[in-house]
């Protein structure tokens, strides 16, 4: 929050499973429960907190497994429901593991995507309990792919909306119907474009999308039609490099992509020069986010096996560094845990 308070979630199994919302200032005395009545969906990693925004001291917003959006200022009284489940608006779309958040803030409002069967862009100003309203209905369900999200770009949000041709295209919105516009025409409807993985970086939002000429590649937008451009055709021609898992770290945008020459490796760009492949380590397909990269020390950390015991790596501009052994002695992930790696420090040497 704006005052430096950190929010977190935990689960308690004594007397039945329940979700706990807590806050901390980094001390034992300053760590306390905020709310114990929530049914937060920890197992799938879908408790998405936004950055602080302008209500009181700057609360975060999150949703629980009932598909509801809540706001909190780290007090029990200040933890309020912004949007309940309803027959008309449905539930909040649960972001798959490894996908970015589908809750964000812009222009003094909190935005989210709701109703998986017929997605809607929703918003609330955070002032009224259950005071949410739809901005636009997308008129088609999202395909079963990871990376569907929305992201903040200035005072607008960017997301995948449905264009006149019936396929998903990149859209921007200020929270009004007239201010919700298509940013680019990537397809005439003959092929799906499926823009996703929207990630703010260097004043733009980078994302992944496909077109007939170059396949699925990396794009960026500054929020205007003219400023929505393909960053690079990493696999030349109609073939796709299929970028995934966009992460900002060390002043660079990191992502995985696959070409015939490199296999699937990490790439990075500073937003000015063309993306560069880090060919020191071929990585597997990071399915369901179990191995999702996390920013650290100017690079990214990731594991190389969905089963427990896969080695953990740190990859930077200079190449990969193995942080743990490949002998199964250290478990990093299992299929029931969120994709979170938090490294406090890294030392080199035998250990």
């Amino acid at each position: 929050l704006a005052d430096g308070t950190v929010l977190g979630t935990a689960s308690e199994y004594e007397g039945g499973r329940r979700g706990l919302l807590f806050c901390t200032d980094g001390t034992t005395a300053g760590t306390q429960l905020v709310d114990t009545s929530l049914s937060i969906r920890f197992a799938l990693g879908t408790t998405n907190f936004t950055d602080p925004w302008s209500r009181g001291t700057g609360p975060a917003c999150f949703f629980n497994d009932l598909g509801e959006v809540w706001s909190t200022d780290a007090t029990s009284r200040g933890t309020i429901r912004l949007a309940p489940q309803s027959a008309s608006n449905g539930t909040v779309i649960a972001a798959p593991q490894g996908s970015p958040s589908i809750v964000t803030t812009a222009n003094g409002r909190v935005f989210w995507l709701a109703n998986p069967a017929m997605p809607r862009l929703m918003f609330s100003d955070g002032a009224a309990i259950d005071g949410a309203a739809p901005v636009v209905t997308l008129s088609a369900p999202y395909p079963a792919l990871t990376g569907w999200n929305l992201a903040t770009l200035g005072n607008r949000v960017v997301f995948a909306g449905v264009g006149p041709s019936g396929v998903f295209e990149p859209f921007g919105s200020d929270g009004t119907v007239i201010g919700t516009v298509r940013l680019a025409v990537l397809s005439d409807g003959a092929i799906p474009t499926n823009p996703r993985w929207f990630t703010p970086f260097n004043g733009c939002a980078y994302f992944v999308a496909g077109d007939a000429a170059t396949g699925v590649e990396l794009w960026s937008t500054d929020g205007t039609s003219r400023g929505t451009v393909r960053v690079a055709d990493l696999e030349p021609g109609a073939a796709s490099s299929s970028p995934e898992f966009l992460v900002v770290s060390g002043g660079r945008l990191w992502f995985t992509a696959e070409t015939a020459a490199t296999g699937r490796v990490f790439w990075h760009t500073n937003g000015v020069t063309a993306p560069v492949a880090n060919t020191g380590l071929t990585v597997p397909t990071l399915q369901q986010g179990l191995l999702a990269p996390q920013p650290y020390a100017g690079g990214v950390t990731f594991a190389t096996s969905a089963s427990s015991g896969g080695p953990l790596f740190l990859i930077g501009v200079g190449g990969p560094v193995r942080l743990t052994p490949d002998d199964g002695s250290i478990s990093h992930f299992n299929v029931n845990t969120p994709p979170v790696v938090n490294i406090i420090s890294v030392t080199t040497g035998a250990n």
Side-chain angles (χ1 to χ4, degrees):
L1 300 183
D3 62 359
T5 301
V6 175
L7 290 165
T9 57
S11 57
E12 182 179 66
Y13 290 87
E14 184 177 352
R17 187 170 184 267
R18 62 175 179 167
L20 307 176
L21 175 67
F22 67 90
C23 65
T24 182
D25 61 6
T27 68
T28 300
T31 301
Q32 59 186 352
L33 289 176
V34 176
D35 198 299
T36 63
S37 63
L38 305 175
S39 182
I40 298 172
R41 192 174 186 168
F42 303 101
L44 295 182
T46 55
T47 307
N48 290 306
F49 288 88
T50 66
D51 291 329
W53 64 293
S54 55
R55 184 177 74 81
T57 58
C61 293
F62 63 96
F63 64 89
N64 65 5
D65 66 352
L66 298 178
E68 299 176 339
V69 177
W70 292 67
S71 173
T72 184
D73 60 3
T75 68
S76 180
R77 177 173 292 183
T79 301
I80 62 173
R81 184 178 64 181
L82 302 182
Q85 284 193 63
S86 69
S88 59
N89 294 330
T91 62
V92 174
I93 295 175
Q97 290 190 62
S99 292
S101 175
I102 53 80
V103 182
T104 193
T105 58
N107 203 25
R109 295 170 167 175
V110 57
F111 291 81
W112 66 92
L113 296 171
N115 195 348
M118 193 62 67
R120 293 184 175 191
L121 178 66
M122 305 286 294
F123 78 90
S124 171
D125 63 7
I129 297 177
D130 299 347
V135 179
V136 63
T137 300
L138 306 186
S139 74
Y142 284 134
L145 299 168
T146 59
W148 295 110
N149 75 315
L150 72 168
T152 302
L153 184 59
N155 63 353
R156 301 168 63 83
V157 294
V158 287
F159 63 101
V162 179
S165 60
V167 300
F168 285 99
E169 303 276 14
F171 273 68
S173 178
D174 62 0
T176 66
V177 174
I178 196 171
T180 302
V181 297
R182 182 173 52 171
L183 300 179
V185 180
L186 304 185
S187 173
D188 60 4
I191 66 167
T193 58
N194 296 334
R196 54 201 189 279
W197 294 104
F198 289 96
T199 304
F201 176 62
N202 275 5
C204 293
Y206 284 70
F207 63 98
V208 176
D211 65 9
T214 63
V216 180
E217 298 291 349
L218 184 67
W219 292 68
S220 72
T221 181
D222 63 2
T224 68
S225 296
R226 180 173 293 182
T228 302
V229 297
R230 185 187 309 106
V231 175
D233 185 11
L234 300 180
E235 185 67 285
S240 300
S241 69
S242 301
E244 289 184 308
F245 298 99
L246 279 61
V247 176
V248 176
S249 182
R252 296 175 182 271
L253 179 73
W254 296 82
F255 58 95
T256 68
E258 184 172 4
T259 69
T262 65
R264 180 160 290 275
V265 299
F266 275 97
W267 298 67
H268 59 85
T269 177
N270 60 10
V272 178
T273 58
V276 175
N278 191 319
T279 57
L281 179 69
T282 300
V283 299
T285 300
L286 307 183
Q287 296 178 351
Q288 298 180 350
L290 292 173
L291 319 176
Q294 303 292 321
Y296 176 76
V300 291
T301 60
F302 65 101
T304 57
S305 174
S307 60
S308 62
L312 182 70
F313 283 87
L314 169 67
I315 191 165
V317 175
V321 177
R322 178 177 288 176
L323 303 179
T324 59
D326 191 15
D327 58 6
S329 60
I330 299 179
S331 298
H332 309 296
F333 294 96
N334 64 59
V335 296
N336 293 317
T337 57
V340 175
V341 174
N342 184 13
I343 297 179
I344 306 303
S345 64
V346 174
T347 58
T348 59
N351 296 321

